């Protein structure tokens, strides 16, 4: 299973983020305080359905990320919408 596409909207200082990921290793890089860790935080929350307050280590902002994630598994796309998790 691989991460194919990420769309996050209204999550802390991120107003809109849309990533289309190629196969293989995808580095996330940028300046300090540019939102790298926040993107990972949003991904984890969207993938496993954590709400604000359920894990203090992941509560960098006081809101639940909105958007969707597209995964690919054995050539088939799986889209996790607003209320869907793995």
């Amino acid at each position: 299973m691989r991460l194919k596409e990420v769309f996050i909207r209204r999550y802390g200082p991120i107003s809109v983020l849309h990533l289309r990921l190629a196969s293989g290793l995808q580095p996330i890089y940028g300046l300090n305080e540019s939102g790298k860790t926040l993107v990972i935080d949003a991904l984890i929350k969207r993938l496993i359905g954590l709400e604000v307050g359920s894990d203090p280590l992941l509560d960098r902002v006081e809101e639940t990320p909105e958007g969707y994630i597209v995964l690919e598994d054995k050539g088939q796309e799986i889209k996790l919408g607003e209320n869907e998790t793995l």
Side-chain angles (χ1 to χ4, degrees):
M1 185 176 292
R2 78 174 186 92
L3 189 58
K4 189 171 181 178
E5 185 177 351
V6 177
F7 179 75
I8 300 169
R9 105 181 128 252
R10 290 196 305 254
Y11 187 58
I14 298 174
S15 57
V16 174
L17 173 73
H18 191 199
L19 302 172
R20 292 177 194 220
L21 305 164
S23 60
L25 182 65
Q26 300 293 305
I28 296 177
Y29 63 92
L31 298 173
N32 288 344
E33 297 298 318
S34 64
K36 302 176 298 289
T37 304
L38 202 57
V39 169
I40 301 302
D41 174 63
L43 275 172
I44 292 170
K45 284 183 175 178
R46 294 289 303 128
L47 287 171
I48 60 177
L50 288 178
E51 297 293 326
V52 173
S54 53
D55 188 336
L57 295 175
L58 292 175
D59 284 340
R60 298 178 66 83
V61 297
E62 294 282 329
E63 53 199 43
T64 302
E66 298 178 18
Y68 63 85
I69 295 173
V70 178
L71 303 165
E72 184 177 32
D73 188 30
K74 300 175 186 166
Q76 192 171 28
E77 282 191 1
I78 302 164
K79 184 175 182 179
L80 301 176
E82 291 290 332
N83 297 314
E84 299 172 298
T85 64
L86 286 177

